[in-house]
Structure formats: structure tokens, C-alpha cells
């Protein structure tokens, strides 16, 4: 008895199992691009005589032959493979011609195999051409009762033509389909230029060509796949905009990504419309028929088709990624191949097939020429041949006599004995001599193929050209070059100065700063944002397109987007709702907005809440922000975040309250805290009061505090009049609040050369110089900045920074 350890036995058994799955089921052969089940289906149809130019046969008969003779697995697995080989939406060039219900792109299953019929497609005949000429090796089937080919002598580079996918043990393969004409061109170029680069082959083989058409974004992912064997590409469906009656539009989907279930896609779009993620759709219907795909999405009046298209690409599988993994079996082992090695494997296979076929034809021709040579001798000496035959008592004696008299071989002598009398005519004699001469030429040609490499290449080249001429079709998939995500959209967007406005009800927009003209103090202003009744602008920010826009909510969360991602609107446009950009909760609103280019370790965020709490945290803690936002500060239930400021280590902060109180203290008094800390008390509020603004000092150019009230009053005060105090005190008077001035709206640091922009609840905007605002004492009410209609109030204001070009333009206008 032989003892073995269980570990060794398990290791050996699992290795054998994995190799069986890899080579015998899941991974295709690099030479013919077929898995064993597909190869056996084609061979079984070949043995049945089930060719493209003959009658169809029941699929059940084909499946029965496959599982009974070559593939001892379940009939459903074999039938599923046969069905896929016949589906035009699954195979770039189908290998089976099916008749009956072979499934649909909606995911409908094929009819039972007893109902459908099949035969080989015309292209698949090229897979089995010359199979009877000893071109490939045969092996025993599973019970050693029959022989089957180990590979097919295909003339088609099928591994890339129809692609494949499969999951084995510890590895997988996923190869996209390609265009036959491009593959033949690339293969021919490699045949003539064995040392060519992969980049050169990519000039011929430009990318995948899917049976469902669509658009393919290759770029770096495709280059990586063709050079290394692994990479990723994006596939997009094709959407068109069609005009309807009354000026309305429809978005029509005419092509979808490869392997996408159309019915599932329509259901997903309907679900998104129902959930409100895609707005502005009045109707959705599938008008697809035998002529092609047509999914129609009718839009409501005023809906922007481009936005709907972008949402479809974002939320559905109309844009999908295809991970390329070109794993195939080479010499009975799985190998990761690049584009060149895939084509080289096919060329090596073709070279071997042509050589073996030529040897077979040469041997057969030489045998026939040998016979004809004997017949020619016999015809030249026909009288003597007849005499020898008549004098012989038996056929054996006649054969020996002919062999001795004319120095013939046994096959030659036997051929003379088998020759019919009508071959003795002069006409038959001439035919025999012509056949013999033709055979000698063919023998020379066959020998030249075997002896001269260029002649061999010529044969392969001609056969490839014939395949291309007969079977190649136009490309279906449109190649779009680089992945749109590989292109930095900011390279296409100018870094212009813009104004970001956000209304109390959450409508946000981006407007070029040049749309606002400078005016004198006390003017009526120009028409600003168009808002609904009861809505007004509460956040007004000047920034530029390439900066990050940080949006802090009343509940202490932070969202980060690029400024250029905010929808652009005209000066009097309402804008888009913030819910289209951010996943806010129902009772959550944007408290403040901040813009910056980069997150530095040298600066801090200073958070200020309505209840007077403050917190200082490193800005770098907030650089990584999820799409769903992050917790910026931990808020108490009865408190709200009102503002966030960027501060340095030596800065000071001034908190201003609604009733005109302020406190100034150093940021050093607020120790640095973690991202989700609650903070410490900044000011002790009087009853009924709350903080409305937090202002950072320390700018050597801006040393004055501009305070603005809701009634349209404002004043400048030197910051030195606000003495530094200890954090947590009650503060001092910052502005005298009266019924005329209204409550304090906020405050900012300014210089005499600055400009400010004010917005009123009546949607008026006025731009004015800070120098026109009186410089007065701390405990005064200030002067009127803007005249408003009755019941209007100032809703927001902000500083205009570094707009020299705009100043020049406005001076030109005023002159």
C-alpha cells in the first residue's frame, strides 16, 4: 500500500481540476479562438453535412450528436452555446445560421431545441476548410470510440473577430469582438513585417467592433489592453435628439452597449423617472422592431435634452465599462496575450495548416503523377503490353511481367491492368498527357511553398485577402478616441471670474461677473435674479471657474464641487435647484459657500454657528470629500452653522450679532480640533440675539469693517475701534440698530479702493465703490447704501476682488 498525505493529494487533484476547466471549458484556444464546446458543435455539424448551402436540421439533432459523440455534458449547456453562436446581437459574425426563435436582445430565451433549426453559417465553412487534408491533429473522444480535431484549421482570426468571455479557476478571459476587415489588414501587415510595433498594428486594428454598434471610447485603456493584454474601455449608447410638434423634443436611443439587456434598460429609465432622478420627461416607450432599436423619451416643454442625455449616461448602463482581459490557451497552458501575440498565434497556426495541407497535396499529386507516368509508358508500348497480358495465365503473372519488362512499380502495373479499353483512344491519350503535365507543375508549386518562405507567405496572404473580400463588412461601432473621463474638462473651460448666487429656497447659478455694471452709491440698481414670491438671494460669492466650491449646510455637512459644475444662467435667471447637484436632506439648506483652489496644511477653517459656537480645524482635513458629503462640524440640535472662514494662525475673528453687538478675539484662543468636533463658545449672546457674521481680520490692505443692515444702511469703521477681547465675552456695540436701519445683515473687511455688490429681496443688484460709504464711529447707524421699494430689504452682499479688466471696460463705457 502506498501512503500519500492528504495535502499532496488535494493539491494534485485541484490542479488537475483547474487545468481541466481552463483548457477543456472556459478559456479559448488562441489558434481558432474557440472553446471546446463551440469547436465540437461546428465539427458535429460538419460531420452531419449541415452546411450553409444545405437544408436546416433540428437543433436537437445537432445537440444530440455533440453530447453523444464529443461533449459529455448537459444538453442545455450545449444548446445555449449553439444559440449564442446564432445571435446577431451576441456575435459580430455569427457562426451558426438559425431558423426559429433564437432569443432577443430583451433577454427572451430561445425556443426549445426541438422547435428550432440550425445549420453552419457561410463563414464557419472557412473554419473547417481542408480539415480532411491532415491539417490538424485529431484526438480520441471521451470514450475513445471516435476521433475529433484538437483545433480547427480556420482561415479566420476568430479570437478577436467574435471575442469571448469565460471564468475558469483562478483566472478569466474577456475579449471584445472586432471588425474582420481590420483584423485581416493587421494580420497581413504582421505577416509582411514580423518586427512591427503594436502601435503600428493599431493603425489597422483601430479598436473593438461590437455587434450592437454604439460608441467606443478607447484612449489609454485600449492602448494598455493591446500592449499588455489588460485594459478597460468605455462603451456608450447612441442617443439622438428629434423635434416633435409644437417645438418640443424627444431623446431617441438607437444603439446600446454590447451585452446590455434592452428591456432592463427601459425598466431602469422608467424607475429613474419615477424616483425623480430624471426630470422633464413626459413619456417613455420602446418602438424597437426587426429594423433596429428605438427607445423614445418624450421631453416636457422647456426641458433641456442635453441634460437628460447626461443623466441617462450617468444613471443607466447606456455608458458601461468593458474590461479587456486577453487570456487564451497557448500550447496547453493559459497565457495573457497582447494584440501582436494574438495575431502571431493565428499566423503560426495558418503557417502550420498551409504547410501540412501542402505536404498532403504534394504527396497525393506525386502518387498520381507516378501512376500517370506508368500509364504513359503503357500507351507508348500498347501492343507489347497487350501481348504480355494475353500471354499471362493470371493477373499476378501479368503484373509481374509488366514490372519486369518496363521497370514499373507495383501500383503502376496495377493501374495498367485496371485501365479500361476506351483509354486507348488518341483523345484519352492526350488528356492523360495534359493531366500529367499539369501535375508536374502543381508538384513544383507545392515544393516551392515548402521550400520558399515568401511563396508560403504569398499563399497565406492570398487566402486572407479572399476571406476579407468575401466576408468583411463595414464597421458598426464608432470609435471616439479617448475616454471622455481622460480629458480634463477644465482645459476646455476658461478660468473667468464669475458670481455664484444661491437663494433661500435653494436655487443656484453661475453668472459671468462682467454682466454686472458699476454704479454710484444710492442708485436703484439693475435687474438681478428672477426668483419666486417669498424667495430671495442669501449667498452671493465672487470666484472663478476652476476653483473648488465648498458648500456648507446648516446641519454642519460639507459638499465639494467645481465652480464650473454649477449651471450657468443669465443675470435675471432663476437658476437650478441645489438638490440637482447635492443630496441634501429635506430640512437641510446651504448655510455658506466658500471657494478655494487647493487644500493647505498652513490654514484652517473657522466655523461659526448661530448660537455663538466657534471651531478651528486644519483645511487639509477636508480635502477628501465624498460625493455624498462629509461631516464638517458636529452640530447641536438647536443650533445652525452660519458661516465658515479660511484663517491663518495669526488672524483675528470678529463675530457680529443681529442686534449690533460684536466681539474680536484671536484665532489662537480657539485650539485646533478634529473634523467632527463641536467647538467652543465664541460670544455670550444676550436674550433673543444670534450671530449673523464672522469676519476675519489681519489683511494689511483691508483694515475697515463694513457693516450692512437689512434696511439698506451701512458704514465703515476702522477695525482698531473694535478692541481685542477674550473669547466667550458679551462683546461691544458694533452698529446702532434702529427701526430705520433694521437688523444687522452682516459685515466684511474692506479697503477704500474695494467694490461691493448688494442684492435686495426685490431682486435688484447694485455695484458700488466702498469709498462712497462714510467712514464713521463704531456706535453709529451709518448711511443709506441703496434705496429700495416698500417692504424690500437687503438680502446679501459681497466683495468684488481683483477685477482690473472689468474696471477698464466699465470706464470705457462711462466715458
Amino acid at each position: 500500500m502506498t501512503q500519500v498525505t492528504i495535502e499532496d493529494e488535494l493539491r494534485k487533484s485541484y490542479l488537475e481540476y483547474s487545468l481541466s476547466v481552463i483548457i477543456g471549458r472556459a478559456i479559448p484556444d488562441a489558434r481558432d479562438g474557440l472553446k471546446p464546446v463551440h469547436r465540437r458543435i461546428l465539427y458535429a455539424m460538419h460531420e452531419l453535412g449541415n452546411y450553409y448551402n444545405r437544408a436546416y436540421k433540428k437543433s436537437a439533432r445537432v445537440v444530440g450528436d455533440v453530447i453523444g459523440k464529443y461533449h459529455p455534458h448537459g444538453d442545455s449547456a450545449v444548446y445555449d452555446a449553439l444559440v449564442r453562436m446564432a445571435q446577431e446581437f451576441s456575435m459580430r459574425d455569427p457562426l451558426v445560421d438559425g431558423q426559429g426563435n433564437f432569443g432577443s436582445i430583451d433577454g427572451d430565451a430561445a425556443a426549445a431545441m426541438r422547435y428550432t433549426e440550425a445549420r453552419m453559417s457561410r463563414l464557419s465553412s472557412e473554419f473547417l476548410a481542408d480539415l480532411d487534408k491532415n491539417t490538424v491533429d485529431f484526438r480520441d473522444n471521451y470514450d475513445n470510440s471516435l476521433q475529433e480535431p484538437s483545433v480547427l484549421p480556420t482561415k479566420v482570426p476568430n479570437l478577436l473577430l467574435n471575442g469571448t468571455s469565460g471564468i475558469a479557476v483562478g483566472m478569466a478571459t474577456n475579449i471584445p469582438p472586432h471588425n474582420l476587415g481590420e483584423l485581416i489588414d493587421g494580420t497581413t501587415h504582421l505577416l509582411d513585417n514580423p518586427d512591427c510595433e503594436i502601435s503600428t498594428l493599431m493603425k489597422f486594428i483601430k479598436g473593438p467592433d461590437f455587434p450592437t454598434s454604439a460608441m467606443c471610447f478607447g484612449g489609454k485603456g485600449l492602448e494598455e489592453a493591446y500592449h499588455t493584454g489588460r485594459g478597460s474601455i468605455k462603451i456608450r449608447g447612441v442617443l439622438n435628439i428629434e423635434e416633435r410638434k409644437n417645438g418640443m423634443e424627444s431623446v431617441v436611443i438607437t444603439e446600446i452597449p454590447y451585452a446590455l439587456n434592452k428591456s432592463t434598460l427601459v425598466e431602469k429609465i422608467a424607475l429613474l423617472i419615477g424616483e425623480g432622478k430624471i426630470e422633464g420627461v413626459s413619456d417613455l416607450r420602446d418602438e424597437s422592431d426587426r429594423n433596429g432599436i428605438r427607445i423614445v423619451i418624450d421631453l416636457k416643454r422647456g426641458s433641456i435634452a442635453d441634460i437628460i442625455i447626461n443623466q441617462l449616461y450617468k444613471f443607466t448602463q447606456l455608458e458601461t465599462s468593458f474590461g479587456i482581459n486577453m487570456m487564451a490557451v497557448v500550447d496547453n497552458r493559459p497565457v495573457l496575450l497582447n494584440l501582436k501575440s494574438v495575431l502571431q498565434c493565428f499566423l503560426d497556426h495558418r503557417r502550420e495548416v498551409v504547410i501540412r495541407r501542402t505536404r498532403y497535396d504534394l504527396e497525393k499529386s506525386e502518387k498520381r503523377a507516378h501512376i500517370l507516368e506508368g500509364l504513359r509508358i503503357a500507351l507508348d508500348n500498347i501492343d507489347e503490353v497487350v501481348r504480355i497480358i494475353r500471354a499471362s495465365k493470371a493477373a499476378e503473372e501479368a503484373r509481374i511481367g509488366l514490372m519486369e519488362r518496363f521497370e514499373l512499380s507495383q501500383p503502376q502495373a496495377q493501374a495498367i491492368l485496371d485501365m479500361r479499353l476506351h483509354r486507348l483512344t488518341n483523345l484519352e491519350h492526350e488528356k492523360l498527357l495534359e493531366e500529367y503535365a499539369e501535375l508536374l507543375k502543381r508538384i513544383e508549386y507545392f515544393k516551392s511553398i515548402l521550400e520558399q518562405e515568401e511563396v508560403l507567405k504569398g499563399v497565406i496572404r492570398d487566402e486572407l485577402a479572399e476571406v476579407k473580400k468575401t466576408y468583411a463588412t463595414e464597421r458598426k461601432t464608432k470609435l471616439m478616441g479617448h475616454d471622455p473621463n481622460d480629458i480634463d474638462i477644465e482645459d476646455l473651460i476658461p478660468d473667468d471670474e464669475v458670481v455664484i448666487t444661491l437663494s433661500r429656497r435653494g436655487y443656484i447659478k453661475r453668472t459671468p461677473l462682467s454682466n454686472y455694471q458699476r454704479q454710484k452709491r444710492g442708485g436703484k440698481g439693475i435687474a438681478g435674479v428672477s426668483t419666486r414670491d417669498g424667495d430671495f438671494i442669501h449667498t452671493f460669492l465672487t470666484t472663478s471657474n476652476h476653483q473648488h466650491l465648498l458648500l456648507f449646510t446648516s446641519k454642519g455637512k460639507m459638499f465639494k464641487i467645481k465652480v464650473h459644475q454649477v449651471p450657468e444662467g443669465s443675470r435675471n435667471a432663476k437658476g437650478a435647484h441645489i438638490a440637482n447637484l447635492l443630496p441634501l436632506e429635506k430640512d437641510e439648506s446651504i448655510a455658506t459657500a466658500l471657494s478655494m483652489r487647493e487644500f493647505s496644511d498652513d490654514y484652517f477653517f473657522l466655523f461659526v454657528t448661530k448660537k455663538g459656537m466657534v471651531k478651528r480645524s486644519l483645511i487639509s482635513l477636508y480635502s477628501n470629500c465624498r460625493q455624498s458629503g462629509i461631516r464638517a462640524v458636529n452640530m447641536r440640535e438647536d443650533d445652525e452653522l452660519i458661516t465658515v472662514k479660511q484663517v491663518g494662525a495669526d488672524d483675528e475673528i470678529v463675530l457680529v450679532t443681529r442686534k449690533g453687538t460684536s466681539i474680536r478675539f484671536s484665532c489662537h484662543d480657539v485650539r485646533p480640533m478634529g473634523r467632527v468636533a463641536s467647538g467652543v463658545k465664541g460670544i455670550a449672546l444676550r436674550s433673543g440675539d444670534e450671530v449673523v457674521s464672522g469676519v476675519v481680520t489681519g489683511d494689511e490692505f483691508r483694515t475697515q469693517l463694513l457693516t450692512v443692515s437689512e434696511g439698506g444702511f451701512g458704514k465703515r469703521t476702522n477695525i482698531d475701534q473694535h478692541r481685542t477681547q477674550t473669547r466667550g465675552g458679551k462683546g461691544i456695540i458694533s452698529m446702532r440698530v434702529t427701526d430705520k436701519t433694521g437688523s444687522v445683515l452682516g459685515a466684511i473687511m474692506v479697503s477704500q479702493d474695494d467694490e461691493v455688490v448688494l442684492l435686495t429681496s426685490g431682486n435688484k443688484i447694485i455695484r458700488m465703490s466702498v469709498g462712497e460709504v462714510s467712514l464713521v464711529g463704531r456706535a453709529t447707524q451709518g448711511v443709506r447704501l441703496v434705496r429700495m421699494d416698500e417692504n424690500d430689504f437687503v438680502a446679501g452682499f459681497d466683495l468684488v476682488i481683483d477685477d482690473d479688466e472689468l474696471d477698464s471696460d466699465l470706464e470705457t463705457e462711462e466715458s
Side-chain angles (χ1 to χ4, degrees):
M1 178 182 292
T2 304
Q3 292 186 348
V4 294
T5 61
I6 187 66
E7 293 87 351
D8 293 341
E9 184 62 28
L10 286 175
R11 186 180 297 110
K12 176 177 178 294
S13 298
Y14 191 76
L15 179 61
E16 292 176 352
Y17 163 72
S18 62
L19 288 175
S20 173
V21 173
I22 291 170
I23 298 173
R25 293 194 192 181
I27 308 298
D29 193 293
R31 295 170 291 179
D32 60 8
L34 297 172
K35 298 178 184 179
V37 63
H38 302 122
R39 186 179 303 116
R40 287 163 175 166
I41 289 173
L42 291 180
Y43 182 63
M45 298 177 84
H46 170 74
E47 290 293 286
L48 277 171
N50 196 15
Y51 302 126
Y52 73 93
N53 54 0
R54 297 186 184 179
Y56 292 92
K57 295 184 185 295
K58 285 290 185 181
S59 300
R61 183 176 179 186
V62 176
V63 172
D65 272 17
V66 172
I67 63 177
K69 294 179 178 179
Y70 312 112
H71 199 71
H73 299 280
D75 60 338
S76 61
V78 175
Y79 183 54
D80 288 344
L82 184 142
V83 165
R84 190 177 186 279
M85 294 169 73
Q87 291 175 337
E88 293 185 352
F89 53 86
S90 296
M91 304 285 282
R92 178 58 181 83
D93 292 279
L95 302 182
V96 171
D97 179 10
Q99 181 169 266
N101 176 15
F102 276 80
S104 72
I105 200 170
D106 286 319
D108 300 319
M113 70 179 79
R114 63 182 178 273
Y115 299 121
T116 61
E117 296 179 339
R119 64 183 179 187
M120 296 167 58
S121 69
R122 187 181 178 191
L123 177 64
S124 61
S125 63
E126 303 295 344
F127 282 69
L128 296 130
D130 303 320
L131 184 63
D132 57 346
K133 293 186 177 182
N134 193 32
T135 49
V136 295
D137 292 334
F138 278 70
R139 63 189 176 194
D140 292 334
N141 68 341
Y142 65 93
D143 63 355
N144 300 326
S145 61
L146 296 170
Q147 292 273 299
E148 63 173 323
S150 59
V151 66
L152 297 184
T154 176
K155 297 180 181 179
V156 181
N158 183 61
L159 184 63
L160 290 177
L161 173 62
N162 281 311
T164 188
S165 63
I167 301 175
V169 179
M171 62 183 62
T173 184
N174 199 33
I175 303 175
H178 290 73
N179 182 268
L180 179 58
E182 294 180 4
L183 289 175
I184 297 297
D185 291 340
T187 305
T188 303
H189 181 78
L190 179 60
L191 177 67
D192 296 332
N193 304 274
D195 298 327
C196 69
E197 299 291 334
I198 294 178
S199 56
T200 304
L201 291 175
M202 290 182 65
K203 295 179 181 179
F204 300 94
I205 304 172
K206 300 177 176 60
D209 188 19
F210 298 100
T212 54
S213 301
M215 297 182 293
C216 174
F217 294 87
K220 296 179 181 178
L222 184 61
E223 290 182 10
E224 185 177 352
Y226 282 166
H227 281 80
T228 67
R230 284 197 178 98
S232 180
I233 58 175
K234 283 194 179 296
I235 313 172
R236 274 187 174 184
V238 175
L239 292 81
N240 301 309
I241 301 174
E242 294 183 0
E243 293 287 340
R244 298 192 350 253
K245 295 181 180 179
N246 303 323
M248 291 188 288
E249 295 178 326
S250 297
V251 174
V252 181
I253 303 171
T254 57
E255 299 172 13
I256 63 176
Y258 181 58
L260 176 60
N261 186 310
K262 178 170 65 67
S263 179
T264 302
L265 172 65
V266 175
E267 292 175 3
K268 178 65 175 179
I269 296 174
L271 180 63
L272 291 170
I273 295 173
E275 292 177 345
K277 290 186 177 180
I278 297 180
E279 298 180 342
V281 176
S282 62
D283 190 24
L284 168 67
R285 59 188 181 275
D286 186 359
E287 298 180 354
S288 305
D289 55 21
R290 62 188 303 173
N291 296 319
I293 293 173
R294 182 178 171 83
I295 303 171
V296 182
I297 304 170
D298 291 337
L299 306 186
K300 297 178 181 178
R301 188 180 301 278
S303 297
I304 302 175
D306 288 336
I307 294 178
I308 303 297
I309 290 174
N310 288 335
Q311 290 174 332
L312 289 171
Y313 284 140
K314 180 178 180 180
F315 297 124
T316 73
Q317 286 187 305
L318 275 172
E319 179 178 291
T320 59
S321 295
F322 188 100
I324 299 176
N325 184 20
M326 296 200 291
M327 183 77 68
V329 175
V330 180
D331 295 331
N332 285 325
R333 61 187 183 92
V335 178
L336 185 65
L337 304 172
N338 58 33
L339 177 62
K340 183 177 180 179
S341 57
V342 169
L343 298 180
Q344 192 61 57
C345 286
F346 171 72
L347 278 179
D348 291 343
H349 180 53
R350 281 307 302 162
R351 180 178 281 103
E352 181 182 358
V353 167
V354 172
I355 289 174
R356 293 180 62 163
R357 182 189 67 193
T358 303
R359 287 174 179 167
Y360 178 89
D361 289 337
L362 175 60
E363 181 181 355
K364 189 174 181 180
S365 296
E366 287 178 337
K367 288 181 179 179
R368 179 59 179 167
H370 182 65
I371 297 298
L372 291 179
E373 188 175 344
L375 294 177
R376 183 179 60 83
I377 294 174
L379 290 175
D380 290 341
N381 302 273
I382 188 61
D383 293 337
E384 191 172 356
V385 168
V386 171
R387 182 184 60 79
I388 294 174
I389 295 174
R390 292 185 63 184
S392 302
K393 295 181 180 180
E396 182 66 23
E397 182 180 345
R399 182 168 56 248
I400 294 174
L402 291 174
M403 292 170 60
E404 292 177 351
R405 172 63 184 85
F406 300 106
E407 298 182 353
L408 301 175
S409 65
Q410 183 173 339
Q412 287 176 322
Q414 187 62 45
I416 294 172
L417 293 175
D418 294 337
M419 183 174 60
R420 294 185 179 184
L421 292 177
H422 74 85
R423 300 296 300 271
L424 300 178
T425 63
N426 290 332
L427 182 60
E428 290 295 325
H429 190 187
E430 292 297 325
K431 288 182 178 180
L432 186 146
L433 293 178
E434 289 176 4
E435 181 185 358
Y436 181 65
E438 184 64 28
L439 275 176
L440 293 179
K441 293 179 181 179
R442 292 185 62 189
I443 290 171
E444 290 301 317
Y445 173 64
F446 293 146
K447 289 182 177 179
S448 66
I449 293 176
L450 298 176
E451 296 171 356
Q452 301 177 38
E453 180 68 18
E454 288 303 317
V455 179
L456 174 61
K457 287 183 178 180
V459 173
I460 298 174
R461 188 185 303 109
D462 292 343
E463 291 181 350
L464 290 174
E466 185 63 28
V467 169
K468 177 183 177 181
K469 178 181 177 181
T470 307
Y471 303 103
T473 57
E474 293 294 326
R475 165 174 281 277
K476 293 184 177 181
T477 299
K478 186 176 181 181
L479 295 174
M480 306 300 292
H482 289 278
D483 186 335
N485 296 328
D486 290 343
I487 301 175
D488 190 350
I489 193 171
E490 289 188 3
D491 295 338
L492 309 176
I493 299 174
D495 195 18
D496 293 338
E497 293 288 322
V498 294
V499 173
I500 299 293
T501 57
L502 180 65
S503 75
R504 179 175 65 86
R505 286 187 173 178
Y507 288 93
I508 190 171
K509 71 169 184 172
R510 171 174 53 93
T511 307
L513 183 61
S514 57
N515 284 11
Y516 302 106
Q517 299 176 2
R518 184 170 55 200
Q519 300 176 7
K520 297 296 184 181
R521 177 178 65 84
K524 292 288 288 183
I526 60 176
V529 181
S530 175
T531 59
R532 296 179 179 178
D533 294 340
D535 194 13
F536 59 87
I537 300 298
H538 79 82
T539 298
F540 189 83
L541 179 68
T542 57
T543 181
S544 61
N545 282 323
H546 288 192
Q547 297 197 39
H548 295 286
L549 180 62
L550 308 181
L551 298 166
F552 297 88
T553 73
S554 57
K555 291 188 175 182
K557 291 184 69 176
M558 186 194 88
F559 296 91
K560 180 177 72 172
I561 60 174
K562 283 287 188 168
V563 171
H564 62 72
Q565 291 178 304
V566 177
E568 184 175 354
S570 62
R571 192 178 60 207
N572 59 354
K574 179 179 66 174
H577 199 273
I578 192 67
N580 292 328
L581 301 177
L582 307 176
L584 298 178
E585 297 179 12
K586 185 176 182 180
D587 56 346
E588 190 174 21
S589 61
I590 300 298
T592 189
L594 198 62
S595 65
M596 60 175 52
R597 290 194 181 273
E598 56 185 23
F599 296 80
S600 172
D601 285 330
D602 299 329
Y603 293 92
F604 300 83
F605 279 144
L606 185 74
F607 297 85
V608 180
T609 73
K610 184 172 65 175
K611 295 295 184 181
M613 300 295 291
V614 293
K615 187 190 82 163
R616 182 164 66 103
S617 300
L618 278 171
I619 288 180
S620 58
L621 296 175
Y622 299 84
S623 60
N624 296 324
C625 182
R626 300 182 297 272
Q627 187 175 359
S628 58
I630 59 173
R631 174 63 59 185
V633 58
N634 194 23
M635 302 294 302
R636 298 175 182 174
E637 291 185 3
D638 60 343
D639 201 359
E640 290 183 11
L641 181 66
I642 62 166
T643 189
V644 181
K645 298 292 182 180
Q646 179 179 338
V647 299
D650 300 326
D651 288 334
E652 293 180 337
I653 183 75
V654 178
L655 303 183
V656 181
T657 72
R658 186 171 297 278
K659 292 186 175 182
T661 302
S662 68
I663 186 171
R664 176 184 178 188
F665 56 88
S666 173
C667 290
H668 279 296
D669 291 351
V670 184
R671 61 179 178 83
M673 303 179 189
R675 181 167 60 83
V676 295
S678 299
V680 294
K681 181 178 290 187
I683 185 173
L685 296 173
R686 293 175 172 84
S687 176
D689 201 3
E690 61 184 31
V691 176
V692 294
S693 188
V695 182
V696 178
T697 69
D699 189 331
E700 58 179 323
F701 300 105
R702 295 185 173 88
T703 59
Q704 300 164 355
L705 186 70
L706 175 66
T707 308
V708 179
S709 72
E710 293 179 346
F713 283 75
K715 65 175 186 128
R716 284 187 294 143
T717 306
N718 285 323
I719 193 63
D720 293 340
Q721 294 191 26
H722 297 259
R723 69 179 186 275
T724 303
Q725 298 176 270
T726 302
R727 173 185 61 79
K730 293 187 176 182
I732 58 177
I733 296 176
S734 178
M735 181 178 185
R736 190 167 301 280
V737 175
T738 65
D739 293 339
K740 182 179 180 181
T741 63
S743 300
V744 173
L745 177 66
I748 55 175
M749 295 298 299
V750 296
S751 71
Q752 185 172 346
D753 299 328
D754 284 332
E755 292 182 339
V756 292
V757 183
L758 291 88
L759 299 94
T760 73
S761 59
N763 303 323
K764 299 292 184 180
I765 300 175
I766 183 167
R767 180 171 177 169
M768 59 185 295
S769 172
V770 171
E772 299 175 20
V773 183
S774 299
L775 182 64
V776 295
R778 176 172 52 78
T780 59
Q781 70 176 19
V783 296
R784 184 176 294 279
L785 302 182
V786 58
R787 296 188 181 278
M788 298 176 292
D789 298 332
E790 189 177 357
N791 297 326
D792 279 355
F793 55 90
V794 178
F797 69 100
D798 196 15
L799 196 65
V800 178
I801 302 174
D802 294 334
D803 195 25
D804 296 336
E805 181 180 350
L806 180 61
D807 289 345
S808 175
D809 294 341
L810 293 175
E811 287 171 4
T812 302
E813 282 184 15
E814 292 172 0
S815 63

